[in-house]
Amino acid sequence: PVDTEEWTKKRLHNTAAFRSLAILGAVAVAGTKSSAQFLPAQATASIHVLSFATWFGTVAYTTFVLGITMFKNLPRQTFGKLQAKLFPTYFALSSVALVLQLATAKAMPVFASKSMTALGVALAMTALNQFYLEPVSTINMMERYSLESRGEKESNEYKRLKSQFGKFHGMSSLTNLVALCGGVAHAIYMAAALI
């Protein structure tokens, strides 16, 4: 049974919309130099750096810390069900952050087409995960859990689903790694502007 009781009362300041507006407001205030531009270059560059940091940190932490820790410390089905809830948000956040980076890349001191390529590849891999690999993997996993609960772990259907899951999970992990490598490449291009 899932406990649906709220931990705290809903408050305006604790909503995604309010937090997003607060961050955008901070960027606007910090980056405003003149009223002639819609979004000054400093604000645009700040959005780029902040979206990169958010995305790259999220991917690195989820890939190398969170996922491994949960896998080693939670029962398999609990881990899988938790991942099924986390991944849609993880990939959506990643996609939004990557779109922001691509939209603001030209405001960076050293704009390189290689950087756009790296970010474009990262976005393509993330979108593939978000819209295809993750949903298919989750459906497969839930079907396997259903068979397990009915005592059909030795059935041919279970074995087929298990094999299929391994393939989709492998592709998902690989596309996530390729996206992360795109982020490393972009970080190197950004760092070139600092030296």
Side-chain angles (χ1 to χ4, degrees), residues 49 52 106 143 150 176 181:
V49 171
F52 175 77
K106 289 187 179 181
E143 288 175 5
R150 294 193 314 255
N176 192 62
C181 289

Side-chain angles (χ1 to χ4, degrees), residues 2 9 20 27 55 79 86 111 120 127 130 151:
V2 177
K9 291 181 181 180
S20 298
V27 169
W55 168 69
F79 168 71
L86 289 173
F111 170 73
Q130 181 180 4

Side-chain angles (χ1 to χ4, degrees), residues 131-151:
F131 297 112
Y132 180 66
L133 296 172
E134 187 280 327
V136 169
S137 297
T138 297
I139 289 167
N140 174 299
M141 179 180 64
M142 294 304 176
E143 288 175 5
R144 283 179 40 227
Y145 290 169
S146 177
L147 289 172
E148 286 174 14
S149 68
R150 294 193 314 255

Side-chain angles (χ1 to χ4, degrees), residues 14-27:
N14 201 22
T15 64
F18 183 86
R19 291 174 182 172
S20 298
L21 288 173
I23 290 170
L24 288 175
V27 169

